[in-house]
Amino acid sequence: MRKLVTLVLIAAAISMASLAHAASDEPNPVDPDRYTLHETADGWLRLERETGRVSLCRAKYGRWTCVPVPDASAAYEAEAKALEDERDRLKARVSDLEARLEAAGIDASKEPGNGAGNGTVTPKAERKEPLITPEEERELDRFMEFSERAMRRFFGMVKTLRREFDDRI
């Protein structure tokens, strides 16, 4: 049992020593060829060879700072990904709407203008209730009559104004 305790204590001491060494202030060895610098009018462009990232480095307030340069290809890839996600969302929405149409008894496979006559989809089964009630139809007729009268009055006023304008010239 004492041997086991001794082995555990030795292992703990070794791991603590390695942690203390790792936490020391010694700098990590860096590959001297990891970065390349190119002078520009705005500062220095730093290319990280491992990742391909480009940063613009310049002295600001007595300190050097490096700001990543936006990657156009990454922006295009992000936009393409966003468009693909939107396409997938719309496909799912279309599938849902087609399923709802089919549940309502409407043939969604007929597209406008595909030989169905007037470009409308045809119902699979007769509807049990009319699209509008007789009361709604009467209100629609009253509205159409009102609209027709208003338009006739409007165009009559335009005609009168045109005659008056022509008489002045």
Side-chain angles (χ1 to χ4, degrees):
M1 182 72 170
R2 284 186 181 189
K3 288 183 181 180
L4 180 61
V5 171
T6 306
L7 286 173
V8 169
L9 287 175
I10 291 173
I14 291 173
S15 64
M16 289 179 76
S18 66
L19 286 174
H21 178 68
S24 68
D25 290 337
E26 293 178 21
N28 292 335
V30 176
D31 180 11
D33 294 327
R34 180 176 176 184
Y35 298 102
T36 58
L37 296 173
H38 301 279
E39 188 172 10
T40 67
D42 295 332
W44 291 83
L45 282 180
R46 179 183 74 176
L47 170 65
E48 185 177 353
R49 290 184 176 182
E50 291 178 8
T51 62
R53 291 189 193 123
V54 177
S55 301
L56 178 62
C57 302
R58 52 181 126 170
K60 190 174 187 181
Y61 306 118
R63 297 185 68 162
W64 280 92
T65 58
C66 295
V67 178
V69 175
D71 186 5
S73 64
Y76 290 136
E77 289 171 10
E79 179 68 17
K81 174 73 172 117
L83 290 172
E84 287 175 4
D85 292 344
E86 177 73 5
R87 181 200 61 206
D88 293 342
R89 187 187 67 75
L90 290 173
K91 280 184 175 181
R93 177 77 174 135
V94 166
S95 296
D96 177 54
L97 290 173
E98 286 176 342
R100 291 171 65 189
L101 282 173
E102 187 159 332
I106 299 173
D107 184 6
S109 65
K110 298 271 188 184
E111 295 181 17
N114 67 347
N118 59 3
T120 61
V121 293
T122 55
K124 285 185 178 176
E126 290 295 320
R127 294 185 181 270
K128 293 181 170 103
E129 56 195 47
L131 290 176
I132 61 174
T133 64
E135 177 62 31
E136 291 171 331
E137 192 168 348
R138 283 192 294 275
E139 284 184 44
L140 182 61
D141 287 340
R142 283 183 40 225
F143 173 75
M144 293 302 289
E145 288 172 10
F146 168 78
S147 299
E148 184 179 350
R149 284 195 311 268
M151 292 302 286
R152 287 185 187 279
R153 286 182 69 189
F154 173 75
F155 285 113
M157 289 177 10
V158 168
K159 195 174 186 180
T160 303
L161 287 172
R162 180 175 282 152
R163 262 188 266 134
E164 289 176 7
F165 180 75
D166 288 342
D167 288 345
R168 288 185 183 176
I169 294 180

